Amino acid sequence: MTHSEEESTALALLSQLSVSPFNQPQNTLSALKRLKHELIGHEQKKELFVRLGIVPPLVRILEGTGSADEVWSNARLEAGIAVGSLAYGGEKYISHLFDSRALPPLIASLDPSSSPSKLVLSSLRTLNTILDTSAFSATCPSYTIATALYTPEVLNSLYKILSQQSPTALVQQQISLTASLIAKSCGRYAPGSSDNSGCHSTHQKLLVEAGVLGALNARLGGHILAEKSIPKNPKNTHSGDIPLPAPPGAKLAPILDVISVIIKDSRLRSLEFLFSPSIIAIFPLPTNESSSPDPPSSSSNKPGEGTVGSTSSINLPQPKLASNSIIQPPNLLITPSAFPPLSAVSAISPTTPKDRVLRSAPLAATEGGSNRSEIDLEVEESPILPWLISQVRSGDPITRLMAISVLTNLFKVGLVSKKLVQLLILLVLPVLVRLLTEEGKENRVNAGVGSIDADTWVSWTIQEKAPAVLARLVMDSTEMQKAAVDAGAIKKLAAMLKRANELPSSAMNGHQNGNSHDSNHTGEPGSSLEVTHKMKVKEGGLKCLASLALFKDEYRKAIIDTGVVPVLVSSMKPLEPIPTPVPQPNTAGQGNPPAVLTAACGAIRALSRSVSILRTSLIDAGIALPLFALLRHDDIEVRIASTAAVCNLVLDFSPMRRPILEAGVLDVLCSHAKSENAALRLNALWALKHLVMEAETEVKRKCFEGLGVDWLLGVISGMEDSIGDLRRMGAGRTGDEEYFDAPEERARSWARRFPPKATAVMAQLEKREGDDSLRRRKEDIALQEQGLDFLRNWISGKDRNLMIDYLFESVGKDRVFEILEDKLKHKRYVKRGELISESPPGEIVNSVVYFLVHLATGSLPHKKALIQRVDLLRTLSALWNHRLPPVRSGLAWVVINLTWHEEHEDLEEVHIRAKELIRLGFDKSLEGMSQDSELDVRERVKTARHQLGTVGPTD
């Protein structure tokens, strides 16, 4: 067919669909079927039809304003399939769909009570495809989809889909695609949105409120019941809570995936998952004991009610140690040779009920609030955790990965006991590392975008998600990091990154093979899905390397030895060039989306903690100027990550400090320090703190002037309303109360499953996880700490006397000391008629002490000024038993520096200062510290007492 014939056919179809399609539904249906066959697998015809304007008629038909008979329902279905075929074509077609407002009818057709089942399935596939294809799109369709999905009406539709009981293949596909849709969209907020923060979890909260988590828990329970090792008629449960066994075609992995996403970083949602009615119906709680003198029922516990509280725990049943048990005892487990059993088998063996009890982290309002009551939630480990481990040991690869993801998120919120953590190290982590090398089929014929077979798609998913899960699992855990490195994670990650960094293969020809992905032969290098896949692999791999490189130099060196540094450099190349005062080197490779840039900055930050690597491999690779350019990136997350990475590059021993300074980093950091974004402010001030350390006097002056005296003092003084926020918490909430307070139905649900003590804790957890005042307070404390540390470094160095004078002249000597005194004072306020005394945060105390340590090294007028502040020194003397060892050591350093005799100084001046210190009780404080548990403190105290006794008065 010639081009003119193809265009004539297209125009004829377009005319048929545009002119009164609702009056002749049968003709419309026939035309749509022809259109579907024209579009599927034909890239050039897609371009032709889109150019001629096929999308608006399809959208009008999909909106369903015609009759409600079967013919018109089929017409809507065919229109949905045609829209889905265009979505498979990639971002350029997706933009046409969004411009023509195709999203609202797609979202509206998700309601299974008003839309045909096949149309619901088609819309779910299309929405998933858009999210897969445009994950890193500059037009941000994923944010638009997320905004449209997370409304009460749409969430109710998703709940209906997940709650369907039909065992048919079509319904099971709907359930799996709905779970995938939620997992992909949850947490996607538009850049600059108030919800675009790790401290916010609005989507997860909405999903719980809509009952989606409960429906997912029921789905998971059905999969548990489908296994032969689980009794299908458990006792002591409400029969209505027992889910139906999952049908043979049901998929477990998507359910685990979305549960993992919802419970992420929330102890409250994790507890709601572990103790949901569906899970408890399978693993019932005991009914013969209570942790409260006032049980929920006056007669006896109802079926399904448990006992959990601050003094006793839930005695969940032990898995049977039979041949078909959920998990075998440690001596029967097949353990990888690289991870032999621990020296004592009993170390990981569940021996007594007490051994299985875990205590969740206590709830504390503030760091310094030691006098506040802390409530612990003591629970016994749920048997669903061993069941999840069994899935890791025996499931298919994608199910293994998703089970590990759920376990990881439970581990991160402290709901996995220390004994089970050993099983995670021995059994789970090696499996996760092996999944890093899950082989894909991206090089086989007919495996291009649009004809990606199911096996390859699953393999891609594993390659994208496994590094990210491993990164979370090993973060902040030296044990996990060692196990991962011993299993060969670094080499595997480096190999993955090198493959992902290669240019995408030329567009692969392929044809529709019956799977859910259409073809997309673009004629350009690679395809949108292939490029997206490679970028996701790079993002996850870089994050994982950053997590592994957090603590140990030997791991950082192992990463460098793999030759992955060029990948790091190329991963800092943005999609569009960033204008900078200094010309940027022409980095090889394609541009990277913000998520990859952020991950690359995180990896550089971790690697640059090694002085030797910073001064050799990283400087040789030329990372300084590309990283400096990212400080000006449009995306706020990239600016935050690059500013954090710059912190280590501007230290006084870094060879990159000079070129970055010459490029103008000081002005950029001063600008970032005044940003409205709390994380960017903190990182910028942190970097400036390092920049002024041992810097030239002119650099220090310029930095001080760039920040401004008023701004700097405002940061150090802190937000005056932060304590007020905490006071209002005691008096009652003032905002979002209706949303965050538990509804009556959920409160009754908690009461059925928890005793009154635990129910109160759950309610408190819900309020605190939804309360921004504590987060703002924490951010404010961190910023105050960095502001004080900035001044400490600013007055240190050879020019310290000049800088102290400059500080006193700019701010005022008395005002400086007044601010410091205020930082060490207890804050007092009334809460519910009771006077509350709140001690200052330890981080602030530490920063104030070491500012005074450096101030005490100044000239004679500076020391005189300090020794005259009686109230400040008396408060300082009372810190001899502070909980932080650095504070106690700093107290000794203040005495050492004030009693140090300079060669040019009159000895009488030293005697006067020593006498004043003794009068203020420093001799007794040092005596109390002489038996300190920390060696460093004891050694500093010896020196301080020696000097105080040598130069002090003898009378």
Side-chain angles (χ1 to χ4, degrees):
M1 185 180 292
T2 64
H3 178 72
S4 59
E5 290 175 339
E6 288 182 350
E7 187 164 345
S8 299
T9 302
L11 287 170
L13 281 174
L14 181 61
S15 174
Q16 198 170 356
L17 295 174
S18 301
V19 180
S20 302
F22 310 120
N23 297 333
Q24 298 176 325
Q26 188 61 54
N27 293 341
T28 300
L29 178 59
S30 300
L32 286 169
K33 288 182 177 180
R34 287 182 59 195
L35 176 65
K36 176 181 68 175
H37 294 299
E38 291 285 335
L39 292 177
I40 292 178
H42 299 285
E43 180 65 25
Q44 293 180 347
K45 290 186 178 181
K46 286 182 182 179
E47 293 181 359
L48 175 62
F49 276 100
V50 169
R51 178 169 55 83
L52 294 175
I54 193 64
V55 177
L58 290 176
V59 172
R60 287 196 296 271
I61 296 171
L62 189 59
E63 287 173 345
T65 56
S67 61
D69 59 16
E70 184 178 356
V71 175
W72 185 251
S73 296
N74 290 334
R76 290 182 63 202
L77 172 61
E78 296 297 333
I81 293 174
V83 169
S85 178
L86 292 175
Y88 294 139
E91 185 178 345
K92 62 180 180 179
Y93 298 112
I94 291 173
S95 62
H96 282 286
L97 295 175
F98 275 70
D99 292 341
S100 300
R101 296 186 55 79
L103 182 61
L106 284 173
I107 297 292
S109 62
L110 295 180
D111 188 352
S113 61
S114 61
S115 300
S117 296
K118 291 184 178 180
L119 180 58
V120 173
L121 183 63
S122 174
S123 298
L124 287 169
R125 283 175 173 166
T126 301
L127 291 170
N128 272 280
T129 300
I130 294 175
L131 290 174
D132 289 331
T133 307
S134 58
F136 299 118
S137 171
T139 58
C140 304
S142 58
Y143 306 137
T144 307
I145 291 177
T147 302
L149 283 177
Y150 291 91
T151 63
E153 297 79 10
V154 180
L155 289 177
N156 186 50
S157 297
L158 300 181
Y159 170 78
K160 290 178 183 177
I161 296 174
L162 294 171
S163 301
Q164 295 177 104
Q165 300 297 332
S166 173
T168 62
L170 190 146
V171 169
Q172 296 306 313
Q173 290 180 46
Q174 287 182 0
I175 292 171
S176 296
L177 288 171
T178 300
S180 297
L181 180 63
I182 296 172
K184 293 169 186 174
S185 61
C186 188
R188 288 182 180 264
Y189 306 105
S193 167
S194 60
D195 293 318
N196 190 22
S197 169
C199 301
H200 293 270
S201 51
T202 303
H203 287 172
Q204 288 92 332
K205 292 171 184 173
L206 289 173
L207 289 166
V208 174
E209 292 287 343
V212 171
L213 179 59
L216 291 167
N217 292 336
R219 288 288 162 198
L220 179 61
H223 284 278
I224 298 174
L225 285 178
E227 295 198 0
K228 296 180 181 179
S229 58
I230 303 297
K232 295 187 178 181
N233 294 304
K235 299 178 181 179
N236 301 327
T237 60
H238 294 290
S239 59
D241 291 336
I242 303 175
L244 295 175
K251 294 182 179 179
L252 174 59
I255 304 301
L256 292 173
D257 186 19
V258 69
I259 288 175
S260 175
V261 169
I262 293 176
I263 68 174
K264 183 179 179 181
D265 296 328
S266 171
R267 190 179 300 122
L268 172 64
R269 292 190 295 272
S270 298
L271 287 172
E272 291 201 56
F273 158 63
L274 291 175
F275 298 104
S276 65
S278 301
I279 302 301
I280 292 179
I282 300 170
F283 302 113
L285 305 180
T287 59
N288 56 352
E289 52 179 56
S290 174
S291 63
S292 172
D294 300 315
S297 173
S298 58
S299 56
S300 61
N301 288 347
K302 297 179 182 180
E305 289 181 350
T307 56
V308 92
S310 60
T311 58
S312 67
S313 61
I314 298 175
N315 295 314
L316 296 172
Q318 281 277 32
K320 295 181 180 180
L321 299 180
S323 58
N324 61 345
S325 64
I326 295 177
I327 186 167
Q328 298 295 323
N331 59 328
L332 298 180
L333 288 168
I334 302 175
T335 307
S337 58
F339 292 84
L342 301 180
S343 56
V345 173
S346 61
I348 59 173
S349 173
T351 54
T352 65
K354 185 177 180 180
D355 293 329
R356 301 191 307 273
V357 174
L358 62 93
R359 267 177 108 78
S360 70
L363 300 172
T366 63
E367 173 68 28
S370 57
N371 54 347
R372 297 186 175 208
S373 60
E374 295 181 350
I375 301 176
D376 291 346
L377 178 60
E378 186 176 288
V379 298
E380 190 162 343
E381 217 147 49
S382 169
I384 197 174
L385 298 179
W387 181 84
L388 288 169
I389 294 178
S390 75
Q391 297 304 305
V392 177
R393 301 288 292 170
S394 60
D396 58 86
I398 189 66
T399 302
R400 289 182 174 193
L401 177 60
M402 298 313 172
I404 295 173
S405 181
V406 175
L407 286 166
T408 298
N409 287 338
L410 294 173
F411 167 68
K412 297 301 289 184
V413 295
L415 292 178
V416 177
S417 69
K418 291 183 179 180
K419 292 186 179 298
L420 199 57
V421 167
Q422 297 303 317
L423 287 178
L424 295 184
I425 294 174
L426 289 173
L427 307 179
V428 174
L429 197 144
V431 174
L432 180 55
V433 173
R434 285 200 299 271
L435 287 174
L436 295 176
T437 54
E438 180 68 21
E439 292 297 330
K441 303 179 181 179
E442 48 263 32
N443 294 326
R444 57 174 261 182
V445 179
N446 296 334
V449 169
S451 60
I452 301 173
D453 62 276
D455 290 339
T456 299
W457 188 254
V458 169
S459 179
W460 279 16
T461 302
I462 293 173
Q463 292 172 24
E464 293 164 6
K465 293 190 175 184
V469 174
L470 181 59
R472 279 183 58 77
L473 184 59
V474 304
M475 177 74 73
D476 301 326
S477 172
T478 54
E479 276 188 299
M480 293 284 188
Q481 290 168 10
K482 183 180 186 304
V485 172
D486 290 346
I490 289 178
K491 291 183 178 179
K492 293 180 179 181
L493 288 166
M496 290 177 66
L497 285 170
K498 289 176 183 178
R499 288 195 302 269
N501 200 50
E502 296 172 355
L503 289 176
S505 59
S506 59
M508 296 172 286
N509 295 317
H511 302 282
Q512 186 82 1
N513 62 357
N515 291 293
S516 61
H517 299 282
D518 197 7
S519 66
N520 181 31
H521 181 72
T522 63
E524 300 173 352
S527 61
S528 56
L529 276 177
E530 185 185 9
V531 172
T532 299
H533 163 64
K534 286 179 175 289
M535 291 302 170
K536 287 181 178 178
V537 171
K538 287 173 70 173
E539 179 190 1
L542 291 169
K543 283 182 177 180
C544 196
L545 287 183
S547 295
L548 292 172
L550 276 178
F551 301 124
K552 293 200 174 181
D553 256 8
E554 60 181 295
Y555 299 162
R556 300 184 190 117
K557 185 177 184 302
I559 292 172
I560 296 297
D561 290 343
T562 61
V564 79
V565 173
V567 179
L568 286 178
V569 177
S570 65
S571 297
M572 288 192 293
K573 181 178 180 180
L575 294 172
E576 299 292 337
I578 302 173
T580 58
V582 179
Q584 296 297 308
N586 187 15
T587 308
Q590 59 184 348
N592 300 274
V596 177
L597 300 176
T598 302
C601 291
I604 290 172
R605 182 188 187 188
L607 291 173
S608 62
R609 290 185 174 186
S610 168
V611 178
S612 61
I613 292 175
L614 179 63
R615 304 185 69 166
T616 54
S617 301
L618 296 184
I619 187 67
D620 292 343
I623 67 165
L625 294 182
L627 186 60
F628 169 72
L630 294 182
L631 294 173
R632 302 172 182 266
H633 197 278
D634 291 338
D635 189 273
I636 184 67
E637 296 300 325
V638 175
R639 297 201 299 275
I640 292 171
S642 57
T643 304
V646 163
C647 288
N648 293 342
L649 271 58
V650 296
L651 287 164
D652 56 310
F653 53 78
S654 169
M656 302 184 209
R657 175 191 266 197
R658 176 56 53 189
I660 293 181
L661 263 175
E662 293 174 351
V665 72
L666 195 151
D667 293 335
V668 177
L669 291 176
C670 287
S671 175
H672 286 355
K674 299 177 182 180
S675 167
E676 294 182 358
N677 184 280
L680 186 57
R681 286 199 307 269
L682 178 64
N683 289 345
L685 193 52
W686 202 317
L688 288 170
K689 174 188 74 174
H690 288 177
L691 183 62
V692 298
M693 182 68 179
E694 299 294 338
E696 299 173 358
T697 302
E698 185 59 31
V699 173
K700 289 184 176 182
R701 285 180 179 270
K702 189 175 180 181
C703 187
F704 193 84
E705 293 169 358
L707 291 176
V709 174
D710 292 338
W711 181 88
L712 192 57
L713 292 182
V715 165
I716 294 173
S717 298
M719 297 186 300
E720 293 299 326
D721 61 342
S722 58
I723 296 298
D725 289 336
L726 295 175
R727 294 172 186 170
R728 285 192 293 272
M729 286 176 57
R733 294 188 52 81
T734 59
D736 295 333
E737 186 168 358
E738 182 178 353
Y739 176 80
F740 288 118
D741 286 348
E744 294 182 4
E745 182 60 34
R746 293 183 65 196
R748 286 195 294 268
S749 174
W750 286 342
R752 287 197 304 268
R753 291 175 281 144
F754 297 93
K757 178 74 170 178
T759 303
V761 173
M762 295 285 284
Q764 190 172 2
L765 267 175
E766 183 176 45
K767 287 186 177 182
R768 294 198 174 193
E769 289 192 5
D771 192 351
D772 275 353
S773 63
L774 292 178
R775 175 182 61 84
R776 292 196 302 270
R777 171 69 169 157
K778 186 176 180 180
E779 292 171 351
D780 186 40
I781 290 173
L783 199 62
Q784 291 181 50
E785 178 188 5
Q786 294 308 314
L788 288 164
D789 290 349
F790 168 83
L791 283 183
R792 178 200 67 200
N793 289 353
W794 192 76
I795 65 172
S796 64
K798 297 178 181 179
D799 58 354
R800 60 179 179 273
N801 293 335
L802 182 63
M803 291 295 100
I804 295 174
D805 287 336
Y806 188 82
L807 177 65
F808 284 170
E809 292 171 4
S810 301
V811 179
K813 180 174 62 177
D814 291 339
R815 189 178 179 191
V816 170
F817 286 119
E818 287 170 1
I819 291 174
L820 296 176
E821 289 173 6
D822 184 69
K823 295 288 98 181
L824 296 180
K825 287 181 180 178
H826 283 60
K827 301 294 186 288
R828 292 179 172 82
Y829 55 92
V830 177
K831 175 183 176 182
R832 295 174 183 171
E834 181 184 357
L835 181 63
I836 302 296
S837 178
E838 184 178 279
S839 59
E843 302 91 339
I844 302 299
V845 173
N846 186 68
S847 295
V848 170
V849 167
Y850 280 93
F851 176 83
L852 294 174
V853 168
H854 284 263
L855 185 62
T857 63
S859 62
L860 178 59
H862 304 148
K863 293 180 179 180
K864 279 187 175 180
L866 176 58
I867 204 68
Q868 291 172 0
R869 306 299 299 196
V870 175
D871 292 340
L872 175 61
L873 291 176
R874 187 173 282 120
T875 304
L876 199 65
S877 175
L879 298 176
W880 68 271
N881 61 347
H882 195 274
R883 62 180 180 80
L884 295 180
V887 171
R888 304 195 298 271
S889 178
L891 178 61
W893 273 114
V894 171
V895 175
I896 292 171
N897 289 344
L898 285 176
T899 57
W900 180 258
H901 179 222
E902 301 283 354
E903 293 182 0
H904 59 276
E905 187 179 9
D906 186 359
L907 185 60
E908 182 62 26
E909 295 289 345
V910 183
H911 281 295
I912 293 173
R913 294 197 298 270
K915 183 177 180 180
E916 182 66 10
L917 290 174
I918 292 174
R919 187 181 73 83
L920 294 173
F922 275 84
D923 55 336
K924 293 182 175 57
S925 297
L926 292 173
E927 183 180 356
M929 295 162 58
S930 60
Q931 301 299 320
D932 196 277
S933 58
E934 296 290 328
L935 175 61
D936 178 70
V937 176
R938 295 198 301 271
E939 293 300 315
R940 300 292 79 74
V941 168
K942 286 181 183 178
T943 304
R945 295 185 72 186
H946 172 73
Q947 289 189 191
L948 195 62
T950 301
V951 301
T954 57
D955 55 304

